[in-house]
């Protein structure tokens, strides 16, 4: 069985690398961190991930257009935000999981495992 591919879009460099390292150490293949929507979109178009972890606000805007394309392709999403509440995200993406920053690594990994098993 192959590793699940997880796309990470996060504009805060330290948070992005920490998140990628956490997920990779848990045995997943990580693509990213992408700091902007355009690079994350290009990555998604090249190779569809099994899951996406998205900060809501990236360097070039709000990530919702990318999230809509991922959702259209049945790619589950975990939003990881410090600026948008769960309720704000759920209004637009009710099926997505939302974790608030700062999110401890064990909570992120629990969410990743839960979403991939759904």
């Amino acid at each position: 069985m192959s590793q699940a591919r997880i796309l990470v879009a996060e504009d805060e460099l330290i948070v992005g690398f920490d998140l990628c390292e956490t997920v990779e150490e848990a045995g997943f293949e990580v693509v990213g961190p992408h700091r902007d929507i355009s690079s994350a979109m290009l990555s998604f178009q090249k190779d569809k991930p099994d899951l996406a972890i998205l900060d809501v606000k990236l360097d070039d805007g709000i990530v919702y257009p990318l999230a809509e394309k991922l959702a259209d392709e049945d790619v589950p999403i975990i939003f990881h935000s410090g600026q948008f509440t769960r309720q704000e995200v759920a209004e637009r993406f009710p099926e997505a999981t939302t974790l608030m920053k700062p999110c401890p690594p064990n909570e992120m990994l629990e969410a990743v495992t839960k979403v991939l098993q759904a």
Side-chain angles (χ1 to χ4, degrees):
M1 185 168 140
S2 65
Q3 295 175 311
R5 295 184 76 247
I6 300 177
L7 182 144
V8 175
E10 169 61 61
D11 65 335
E12 295 178 51
L13 194 59
I14 293 172
V15 174
F17 282 115
D18 186 49
L19 181 57
C20 288
E21 185 177 306
T22 296
V23 174
E24 196 168 51
E25 284 178 359
F28 300 101
E29 179 184 347
V30 177
V31 181
H34 298 282
R35 294 185 58 163
D36 54 52
I37 299 164
S38 55
S39 67
M41 183 76 76
L42 184 59
S43 175
F44 160 62
Q45 291 170 340
K46 285 183 179 179
D47 201 358
K48 179 179 158 183
D50 298 299
L51 170 70
I53 301 173
L54 308 176
D55 186 1
V56 177
K57 188 173 185 297
L58 298 177
D59 281 349
D60 57 352
I62 304 299
V63 78
Y64 291 159
L66 170 61
E68 289 167 355
K69 293 201 178 295
L70 289 161
D72 288 346
E73 292 289 326
D74 297 319
V75 175
I77 300 166
I78 296 174
F79 288 101
H80 183 233
S81 179
Q83 296 179 331
F84 291 77
T85 67
R86 286 182 174 93
Q87 293 77 16
E88 289 172 312
V89 175
E91 287 174 15
R92 191 149 184 176
F93 297 95
E95 301 297 317
T97 299
T98 303
L99 300 174
M100 303 308 295
K101 291 181 185 176
C103 178
N106 64 316
E107 286 183 30
M108 177 60 74
L109 293 176
E110 286 173 17
V112 166
T113 301
K114 182 178 177 183
V115 170
L116 288 172
Q117 291 175 348

